[in-house]
Amino acid sequence: MLKAIQNLGSVAYYYRLKPPHAAKTNAFVSTSAKPLSCSSPITRPTNPFMFLTRKTRSLGPVRAHSTPSESKMDGTSSSSVAVQSSGSARKINFCQWCGGQTKHDIPDGEEKMRAICTLCEKISYQNPKMVVGCLIEHDNKVLLCKRNIQPSHGLWTLPAGYLEIGESAAEGAIRETWEEARAEVEVVSPFAQLDIPRIGQTYIIFLAKLKKPHFSPGPESLECRLFSIDDLPLDSLAFSSMVVTLKLYIEDVKAGSRKFHYGTINKRPGSSPSDTHAYTLDHHLQS
């Protein structure tokens, strides 16, 4: 999933997909411009595939739409964590292991302020979340889901969500696609890694294709629909990461080639969350 992409060499990545369904099938049905509903579980085969990335080059910034939070779970916290936004980290007031009150200090041998439990003395480290999803191509169209949950209820997005412990990035993207669009997909290649340091998230988006022309809304979606390039609802997308991803995809389609993109989404100082030009894509590399 290409966590460190800024200096890409000729590196091969190998993933073995482990579908959530036990049964296996090699059936692949294609060629249907009209979406069909799927009312029963779909089985997924286990297929290995390999990704190759090449040395990248820098491009100019891309402006994008913004929303207050970037994923379906952003903005929530447990009862033991008080969130005080500092632009990069949360303030943790209680220990996640024993519930004891924490103090904020710099541990020996470290350089950053940490939350240290005053009872068990364990340190609560904060690490970025990884969000994975699929950009699904079918009959020269892209599959989008209309969100049935907050944040950004009623807006469109690619099927994506948080990566779970115990699964690869590709497995997580396939699972999220099934959960949100009830679509059985095959990952083709990585398409974009978008880091969002301000909210501690990294997005990994894969190019994928439908194994069967069947999809329907999952519990988190109001609607699923295939959009042509010219009809993509860029003004009604849920997150800046989705706007950036689809704008890069449109550029690739018009150029006649698909590339891998890496970039950092940064919010402009002083801009409001509702500002449609609040985010820029900096350090854009592609291969």
Side-chain angles (χ1 to χ4, degrees), residues 18 20 44 72 132 134 161-165 167-183 185:
K18 185 186 297 180
R44 299 176 186 156
K72 65 184 180 184
V132 293
C134 288
Y162 285 137
L163 182 67
E164 299 283 358
I165 296 294
E167 63 185 5
S168 70
E171 289 171 341
I174 291 173
R175 173 185 53 76
E176 286 290 340
T177 300
W178 173 257
E179 291 176 358
E180 298 185 9
R182 290 296 186 258
V185 298

Side-chain angles (χ1 to χ4, degrees), residues 22-233:
K24 297 182 179 180
T25 176
N26 291 321
F28 175 79
V29 182
S30 184
T31 66
S32 174
K34 184 177 180 180
L36 303 176
S37 296
C38 175
S39 57
S40 59
I42 297 178
T43 57
R44 299 176 186 156
T46 300
N47 289 322
F49 58 92
M50 183 172 289
F51 301 144
L52 295 177
T53 61
R54 299 177 300 278
K55 190 174 182 180
T56 59
R57 58 188 177 86
S58 178
L59 294 181
V62 177
R63 294 180 182 269
H65 170 75
S66 69
T67 56
S69 53
E70 290 297 319
S71 80
K72 65 184 180 184
M73 294 168 57
D74 184 70
T76 62
S77 62
S78 65
S79 59
S80 64
V81 177
V83 178
Q84 298 180 10
S85 176
S86 63
S88 60
R90 302 175 302 173
K91 184 176 181 180
I92 299 176
N93 291 328
F94 298 96
C95 177
Q96 59 183 308
W97 290 281
C98 73
Q101 190 169 1
T102 62
K103 64 177 181 179
H104 292 82
D105 201 352
I106 300 176
D108 292 340
E110 299 195 24
E111 298 179 351
K112 292 187 177 181
M113 191 77 68
R114 308 290 188 186
I116 306 171
C117 182
T118 56
L119 296 180
C120 69
E121 299 184 346
K122 288 185 178 180
I123 301 173
S124 296
Y125 290 96
Q126 298 183 64
N127 305 104
K129 295 282 190 177
M130 180 173 287
V131 181
V132 293
C134 288
L135 196 166
I136 302 161
E137 298 176 304
H138 184 72
D139 286 346
N140 297 317
K141 296 182 179 181
V142 174
L143 180 63
L144 298 182
C145 302
K146 181 178 286 188
R147 290 174 61 82
N148 191 31
I149 57 174
Q150 295 292 354
S152 302
H153 182 276
L155 297 180
W156 293 94
T157 182
L158 296 171
Y162 285 137
L163 182 67
E164 299 283 358
I165 296 294
E167 63 185 5
S168 70
E171 289 171 341
I174 291 173
R175 173 185 53 76
E176 286 290 340
T177 300
W178 173 257
E179 291 176 358
E180 298 185 9
R182 290 296 186 258
E184 182 186 8
V185 298
E186 177 182 348
V187 168
V188 177
S189 67
F191 178 72
Q193 174 181 331
L194 300 172
D195 296 331
I196 313 179
R198 183 175 178 270
I199 59 173
Q201 292 182 359
T202 289
Y203 276 70
I204 302 292
I205 303 298
F206 292 92
L207 282 176
K209 61 183 179 181
L210 291 174
K211 291 184 175 181
K212 299 178 181 180
H214 300 161
F215 56 85
S216 61
E220 298 178 0
S221 302
L222 292 169
E223 180 183 356
C224 298
R225 188 192 305 177
L226 289 169
F227 289 88
S228 65
I229 296 299
D230 293 334
D231 293 330
L232 285 169

Side-chain angles (χ1 to χ4, degrees), residues 9-28:
S10 297
V11 182
Y13 296 85
Y14 176 86
Y15 296 88
R16 179 169 297 276
L17 305 186
K18 185 186 297 180
H21 304 293
K24 297 182 179 180
T25 176
N26 291 321
F28 175 79

